Structures are given as structure tokens and as C-alpha cells.
Amino acid sequence: HTQQHSNTLITYHTNTHTRSSKMTMRFVAIFAIVLFLVFVQETKVTKAYVSCNPLQLSPCANAITSSTTPTSICCSKLKEQRPCLCKYMKDPRLQKMISSPNAKKVATTCGSPFPNC
């Protein structure tokens, strides 16, 4: 009788531990999915509110044309307009300036390298 009682306790403990591990794994998986969805939604919202206007990059004109260090305003505008850069590079009127080595240097200095288009 004691042996059977011990086996029952071991089985109960093992099942409880397994159930607890499965619940923890399930919680982690659900948390990861929720985090991913929030990130994706935040990315969409951020891109949706960016107004692609190349004039927003005018604070960077001096740094691009004269190789001076970009200002903090230039860097913030460049980061804000980053989702639009591929569009700007396809525009024949902007392509030369946006694709220039100095523009890429400014972007790197600002910590916002050009996207691969």
C-alpha cells in the first residue's frame, strides 16, 4: 500500500510540474507574440505619420554640400524622414543630392544609415 501511495505522489508531482512548465512556456510564447504585434503595429503607426517632404531635410543641406558636421536638428529630421529616403532616391530631382557620398556620410554620422533600396 505504501509503494502504491508513493507512486501516486510521484506521478502527481510529475504531472503538476509538467503542467506548470507547459503553462510557463505557453505564457512566454503568448507574451512574445503580443510583443511582436505591438512592435509591428508601432512600426506601421510610425510610418503612417511620416510626412514625406524632402524640404524637411533642409537642415542637412549645409552638412551635405560642405562636409560639415550635421546639426542635431539635421539628424532628427533625417531619422524622421528615413522611411522616405528610397522614394527620394528614385526622384530624378533629388537623386544626385540624396545619393551623394556626403549625404551617406551625414546619415552615418547621425546614426541613421541609408536603407537598402
Side-chain angles (χ1 to χ4, degrees):
H1 183 69
T2 305
Q3 179 68 21
Q4 184 181 11
H5 181 69
S6 291
N7 287 344
T8 304
L9 284 176
I10 290 171
T11 303
Y12 175 76
H13 178 71
T14 302
N15 288 342
T16 304
H17 180 70
T18 303
R19 206 174 304 135
S20 176
S21 293
K22 286 181 182 178
M23 287 177 64
T24 302
M25 288 172 43
R26 193 173 294 150
F27 174 78
V28 169
I30 291 171
F31 181 75
I33 290 169
V34 168
L35 197 59
F36 174 76
L37 291 174
V38 167
F39 175 76
V40 168
Q41 187 62 32
E42 181 122 331
T43 302
K44 286 181 183 176
V45 169
T46 302
K47 288 182 181 178
Y49 285 99
V50 171
S51 174
C52 290
N53 181 350
L55 292 177
Q56 293 292 314
L57 295 175
S58 61
C60 298
N62 193 40
I64 292 170
T65 58
S66 67
S67 297
T68 59
T69 304
T71 64
S72 60
I73 294 170
C74 166
C75 290
S76 68
K77 289 296 183 180
L78 184 62
K79 289 175 183 175
E80 178 186 292
Q81 292 290 304
R82 190 170 191 275
C84 307
L85 292 178
C86 289
K87 178 181 175 182
Y88 297 160
M89 285 191 274
K90 292 176 184 172
D91 184 329
R93 296 169 295 163
L94 302 171
Q95 188 177 32
K96 196 171 190 176
M97 187 169 122
I98 298 293
S99 299
S100 73
N102 280 348
K104 292 180 181 186
K105 181 180 171 188
V106 168
T108 302
T109 301
C110 289
S112 184
F114 272 56
N116 293 328
C117 303

